[in-house]
Amino acid sequence: MRLRALLENDTLGLRLLGGEGELDRAVRGVMTTDLRDPSRYLSGGELVLTGLAWRREPEDSERFVRILAAAGVAGLAAGEAELGAVPEDLVLACGRHRLPLFSVVEDVAFATITEHVVRQVSGERAGDLAAVVDRHRRLMTSGPAGGGPEVALDLLRSDLDLTAWVLSPTGRRIAGPTAAGAAAEPPAAVRAQLAGEHLAARRDGRRGPHRMTAADGMTYSLFPIRSGETDDEVRESVLSDWLLVVGADADEWPEERLDLLYGVTQLIAVERDRRNASRTVRRRLAQEVLELVQTGAPPAEIAARLRVAAPVLLPGLGTAPHWQVVVAKVEWGVSAAAEHGVEGGVRDGAAREAFTRDGGAVLGARVAQSLLEEILVDPAAPGPELSDRIAVAHTGDEAVALVPLPALADGPPEGGIDHATEGLQADALLTAVREPLSRGLDGDGRLTLGVSAAVHSADGLRGALEEARHARRVAAARPGRVCAAGHQELASHVLLLPFVPDDVRRAFTARLLDPLREYDRRHRAELIPTLEAFLDCDGSWTRCASRLHLHVNTLRYRIGRIEQLTGRELSRLEDKLDFFLALRMS
């Protein structure tokens, strides 16, 4: 209630003596006192009733009013029974401290005013409590009726004029406000940038909220939505927790508003845990199928288990005609090993063994499992529940996903779905997640991914698993924090090159290319680019000359110089192949 409402009630016998501009102050309680210093009993927002027994000389008014103003009371009402009219020194003191002052006529008891204020404030608090209960019910009620993160985001929008979104660690939209007038959702590139900043900040141990001006020129505040925070879950949560993105700068916010936003993240964390729990059945099914495949169980037994899994993974679609296997591995760097008490990092053989023995490999497999569930979500449909058709298990130090292709048949090419080749494409899977995950792993670890071809029955799952593992090893031999390889690359020289020992690679490339590099360095002749273009044009003089914008005779001179310096002939298939491999390995 407001002070103005008290003044408008004739039965209370209040007359305004000063502070007309402060009548919109809220009254949260009432207190009657004649103590010279009542500050210990004041919490702010009270209407103070006094009979003026504390006043012995005019100077007492200044001291008394100063104490009330410092305590943040709403107003002062002085009774006329003791002294008659309210002293002028009290009126002046209240004016100096901008404290509204009322006089209470002699025939109105303080108890009447107290009863009225208590009744009004209690009624308002009951209404506030009812609203809180209703909001809590809406926040905690799941289902399409309006529960989940969207309700919390709508309340932020309506009550605090804050537009916010919940993103996955890869920048995928989990939830956003549904209220009309909300700001436009950040584009995909900005969401990836925000997720990358969030992962980098979490990896570095910086306290939230994290403030960032993104590529769209907008300033955002990032609040981590944390679930598991025990010692063995911190690293897993860094790469798997959601984040709350607020379209505002939280740098100047008071503590109360920050506390409110952290409270919202805790509510959303409950929803995230609920959704994670719903994956338990799918993970168990994937684990059972994986164990059968790895132990060489008969195809009929594996097929029977797949028939059990099909209703869960493919509701309403029957048995999946095609399956695909994706293998992922997260490898930690030196800092992760140090975090787990391993001296020297995991690159050292003894340290790697200790790290694995202490649970580092298992932890990496759990992280890879969470990341696969995120990466394999079909972006064609809204919400995170689309991952409900992906079953991901982990074994040893890697995660294995069993992907039923019909569940993803309607996905667009940017989601990794290609109808022409029946299934997931390795590079397309990482298009949207490479930037944020690279920042989350930078200086600390790598994520490598291998994708098998589609198989038509349980008979092919064992081969698909081995194919995906081989592809992942090809990806692991490439530079970069986040790499993938597909089954198409296993029938190419690309499969062989990563497994050539480093000293052999260096010797082979040096024998063929070092003379050309030295000649280019001294004469700026561009023999190496010419050789690359010539091989890329399949030895066609006219096409190569056109690409390099050279006369054919100039091209013939350069190729002749290459042959002279290396002792090879580019008209011979064997020498062409050697040059091609040397360039690929350099």
Side-chain angles (χ1 to χ4, degrees), residues 558-569:
R558 289 187 183 181
I559 295 299
R561 178 62 66 186
I562 291 171
E563 293 176 335
Q564 181 183 18
L565 291 170
T566 60
R568 302 296 186 102
E569 296 181 15

Side-chain angles (χ1 to χ4, degrees), residues 313-373:
L313 303 178
L314 298 165
L317 297 180
T319 304
H322 301 95
W323 296 92
Q324 205 166 4
V325 176
V326 182
V327 173
K329 184 176 181 180
V330 172
E331 298 175 283
W332 302 122
V334 176
S335 62
E339 181 178 315
H340 288 270
V342 180
E343 297 295 335
V346 297
R347 293 186 179 87
D348 173 72
R352 179 185 293 276
E353 182 180 351
F355 189 50
T356 302
R357 185 176 62 249
D358 292 341
V362 175
L363 179 61
R366 289 207 310 266
V367 175
Q369 183 179 39
S370 296
L371 290 179
L372 263 188
E373 289 170 335

Side-chain angles (χ1 to χ4, degrees), residues 153-190:
L153 301 181
D154 283 344
L155 290 175
L156 285 179
R157 172 67 184 168
S158 62
D159 290 13
L160 297 181
D161 196 27
L162 293 175
T163 304
W165 303 268
V166 179
L167 303 183
S168 77
T170 64
R172 180 173 57 85
R173 179 189 185 275
I174 300 292
T178 62
E185 179 179 307
V190 171

Side-chain angles (χ1 to χ4, degrees), residues 443-559:
D444 198 28
R446 301 185 70 213
L447 168 68
T448 52
L449 218 68
V451 182
S452 78
V455 296
H456 298 249
S457 66
D459 296 1
L461 278 180
R462 184 175 180 85
L465 176 61
E466 291 305 314
E467 192 172 57
R469 283 174 168 162
H470 279 302
R472 194 209 61 78
R473 285 193 285 270
V474 170
R478 295 172 176 169
R481 293 287 169 195
V482 181
C483 299
H487 60 92
Q488 302 92 337
E489 302 174 64
L490 301 185
S492 165
H493 66 279
V494 177
L495 175 62
L496 301 176
L497 294 184
F499 304 104
V500 176
D502 288 344
D503 54 344
V504 175
R505 293 160 67 99
R506 285 191 294 269
F508 183 75
T509 57
R511 188 179 302 116
L512 284 175
L513 301 183
D514 278 3
L516 306 182
R517 292 187 180 119
E518 179 61 22
Y519 191 86
D520 281 348
R521 187 185 64 80
R522 288 188 286 109
H523 300 284
R524 299 181 180 178
E526 297 187 354
L527 295 184
I528 291 289
T530 301
L531 176 61
E532 291 176 330
F534 186 73
L535 295 175
D536 194 44
C537 292
D538 298 323
S540 169
W541 296 99
T542 55
R543 281 197 290 128
C544 184
S546 176
R547 175 182 293 190
L548 296 175
H549 305 289
L550 299 175
H551 192 278
V552 172
N553 289 339
T554 304
L555 176 62
R556 291 184 183 277
Y557 172 80
R558 289 187 183 181
I559 295 299

Side-chain angles (χ1 to χ4, degrees), residues 174-461:
I174 300 292
T178 62
E185 179 179 307
V190 171
R191 296 199 307 269
Q193 187 183 14
L194 294 170
E197 173 62 20
H198 160 72
L199 288 176
R202 290 277 281 134
R203 185 200 67 220
D204 297 340
R206 285 181 271 151
R207 293 186 60 188
H210 313 301
R211 177 182 175 276
M212 179 183 182
T213 300
D216 60 356
M218 298 291 293
T219 298
Y220 298 92
S221 298
L222 314 179
F223 293 80
I225 299 172
R226 299 175 181 174
S227 295
E229 285 296 315
T230 59
D231 290 343
D232 62 345
E233 291 175 326
V234 170
R235 179 156 297 278
E236 183 177 1
S237 68
V238 166
L239 289 170
S240 61
D241 274 349
W242 294 350
L243 68 148
L244 179 67
V245 175
V246 181
D249 187 350
D251 200 37
E252 302 296 330
W253 285 3
E255 288 297 325
E256 293 81 2
R257 175 165 286 201
L258 290 174
D259 289 344
L260 175 62
L261 266 294
Y262 281 119
V264 170
T265 66
Q266 292 171 2
L267 285 172
I268 298 174
V270 173
E271 174 67 12
R272 181 188 183 279
D273 291 341
R274 184 190 68 79
R275 295 184 180 181
N276 279 346
S278 69
R279 294 175 174 172
T280 303
V281 173
R282 299 191 306 281
R283 286 180 171 181
R284 186 170 64 246
L285 287 171
Q287 202 74 40
E288 292 173 356
V289 173
L290 179 61
E291 290 174 2
L292 290 174
V293 171
Q294 291 193 132
T295 57
E301 186 176 352
I302 299 175
R305 176 50 55 185
L306 287 176
R307 283 194 294 273
V308 173
V312 176
L313 303 178
L314 298 165
L317 297 180
T319 304
H322 301 95
W323 296 92
Q324 205 166 4
V325 176
V326 182
V327 173
K329 184 176 181 180
V330 172
E331 298 175 283
W332 302 122
V334 176
S335 62
E339 181 178 315
H340 288 270
V342 180
E343 297 295 335
V346 297
R347 293 186 179 87
D348 173 72
R352 179 185 293 276
E353 182 180 351
F355 189 50
T356 302
R357 185 176 62 249
D358 292 341
V362 175
L363 179 61
R366 289 207 310 266
V367 175
Q369 183 179 39
S370 296
L371 290 179
L372 263 188
E373 289 170 335
E374 166 63 25
I375 291 170
L376 293 175
V377 171
D378 181 4
E385 301 298 342
L386 261 290
S387 60
D388 287 357
R389 294 178 178 179
I390 305 297
V392 186
H394 66 79
T395 176
D397 58 355
E398 65 186 12
V400 179
L402 188 63
V403 183
L405 295 185
L408 301 171
D410 296 328
E414 61 265 30
I417 313 304
D418 187 340
H419 298 291
T421 53
E422 288 188 301
L424 305 168
Q425 301 301 298
D427 288 338
L429 281 176
L430 299 182
T431 299
V433 304
R434 182 174 275 112
E435 178 187 346
L437 291 185
S438 294
R439 294 198 66 187
L441 291 161
D442 187 31
D444 198 28
R446 301 185 70 213
L447 168 68
T448 52
L449 218 68
V451 182
S452 78
V455 296
H456 298 249
S457 66
D459 296 1
L461 278 180

